[in-house]
Amino acid sequence: MYLSGRAAIVTGSSRGIGRSIALAMAREGADVLVNYTGREAEANLVADEIKAVGRRAVVFRADVSRPDEAGRMVAAAVESFGRLDILVNNAGITRDNLIPRIREEDWDAVLSVNLKGAFNCIKAAVRPMLKARWGRIINITSVVGITGNPGQANYAASKAGLIGMTKSAAREFGSRNITVNAVAPGFIVTEMTGGLPEETKSRMLSEIPLGRLGTPDDIAPVVVFLAGEAAAYITGQVIMVDGGMAM
Ligand code: NAP
């Protein structure tokens, strides 16, 4: 199996894209720490599915925007699995509004989870990777971080920031055989996009050459690929998985 013997953390893996990534990694042989903030029951279900394919799973509640909680999560993975090879920074939130209406707390919340959260997790997780001289860090950004989107200035800023951090980390850790890449999904059907008005969805759909909205299972195989040996010479890249929407 492609990720046999590896241990991974997938942040925000109780549902949506993170859940799909966690399950795909387990099917390829990795042990996985399932992270969540609120939805404990859903996180437990993901862990049950991981165990059902014969891999180890740890469920860990941590708000990634808090450095102490991110640190404890990494320590729990290393203690449970004896190693940590793969970090997927997937946890993310939106607080959409036009700029004049974005409240300070909505700006801060989105930047804290999406950008600082990834930084907190990288800072903690890179230690065991540096020791092992092997690691894979994959940051889930968004096409919106490249193109911008009205009503998403805070979200787009956080995702663009994540791309800058990805490239900086790739340069810092490359000599230790740690790759750092970003995956930029387009419009993916999850709870995050579920609340958008139908007219927004059909406008987006009309801009997608492949003629359909994406699913979490469209994203997971790309993340699995980047996490394994076949992607050893890829670092600092942003892979768009968007049905051609933002080319
Ligand atoms: P989602 O369905 O809303 O799921 C979000 C996940 O993040 C949940 O597991 C949630 O945990 C977790 N989470 C939220 N805040 C957290 C925090 N502070 N600490 C730890 N975990 C936290 O979102 P999604 O659509 O799967 O999106 C996943 C990632 O893909 C996000 O980074 C998002 O920005 C990105 N993305 C999504 C799309 C899209 O169209 N859906 C497009 C581009 C990029 P709980 O279940 O406990 O709340």
Side-chain angles (χ1 to χ4, degrees), residues 180-220:
V180 190
N181 290 289
V183 170
F187 193 115
I188 309 301
V189 179
T190 67
E191 272 185 48
M192 183 176 273
T193 49
L196 291 175
E198 280 309 315
E199 67 167 290
T200 308
K201 287 188 199 172
S202 47
R203 182 172 44 79
M204 296 249 180
L205 188 56
S206 71
E207 289 166 11
I208 300 173
L210 286 178
R212 65 173 177 86
L213 303 179
T215 71
D217 289 345
D218 289 314
I219 307 302

Side-chain angles (χ1 to χ4, degrees), residues 2-240:
Y2 186 58
L3 300 180
S4 192
R6 300 293 183 198
I9 291 177
V10 183
T11 69
S13 46
S14 46
R15 54 196 165 96
I17 294 170
R19 171 183 177 276
S20 186
I21 293 168
L23 294 177
M25 287 193 162
R27 284 195 299 271
E28 287 297 334
D31 295 328
V32 185
L33 182 147
V34 177
N35 160 248
Y36 71 101
T37 33
R39 309 272 194 96
E40 185 177 10
E42 284 166 67
N44 282 327
L45 286 176
V46 177
D48 289 345
E49 286 191 62
I50 291 169
K51 290 175 191 160
V53 298
R55 302 317 316 163
R56 289 183 288 181
V58 170
V59 176
F60 200 91
R61 201 211 76 82
D63 176 349
V64 294
S65 70
R66 300 189 48 118
D68 53 338
E69 295 187 22
R72 281 200 288 274
M73 174 175 69
V74 168
V78 173
E79 194 184 317
S80 305
F81 303 140
R83 57 192 297 151
L84 178 61
D85 309 285
I86 301 161
L87 168 68
V88 182
N89 283 309
N90 166 81
I93 60 168
T94 52
R95 296 278 189 277
D96 295 353
N97 225 325
L98 297 170
I99 288 171
R101 293 191 200 137
I102 294 180
R103 295 174 306 171
E104 185 181 1
E105 63 254 43
D106 294 332
W107 175 272
D108 288 345
V110 170
L111 271 290
S112 291
V113 176
N114 299 7
L115 185 55
K116 186 178 162 196
F119 164 72
N120 290 337
C121 293
I122 291 172
K123 191 173 172 181
V126 80
R127 280 170 167 270
M129 293 179 187
L130 287 169
K131 259 194 218 156
R133 292 186 173 264
W134 199 98
R136 294 283 190 268
I137 298 170
I138 298 134
N139 298 320
I140 308 301
T141 177
S142 168
V143 292
V144 165
I146 298 163
T147 63
N149 198 24
Q152 290 201 303
N154 49 359
Y155 182 77
S158 73
K159 295 301 188 179
L162 200 48
I163 291 173
M165 185 163 64
T166 298
K167 293 178 181 180
S168 302
R171 291 185 191 278
E172 279 192 33
F173 306 138
S175 65
R176 301 292 185 91
N177 204 24
I178 298 166
T179 69
V180 190
N181 290 289
V183 170
F187 193 115
I188 309 301
V189 179
T190 67
E191 272 185 48
M192 183 176 273
T193 49
L196 291 175
E198 280 309 315
E199 67 167 290
T200 308
K201 287 188 199 172
S202 47
R203 182 172 44 79
M204 296 249 180
L205 188 56
S206 71
E207 289 166 11
I208 300 173
L210 286 178
R212 65 173 177 86
L213 303 179
T215 71
D217 289 345
D218 289 314
I219 307 302
V222 181
V223 179
V224 168
F225 165 68
L226 290 171
E229 209 49 58
Y233 203 55
I234 302 174
T235 197
Q237 302 305 306
V238 184
I239 315 283
M240 290 159 100

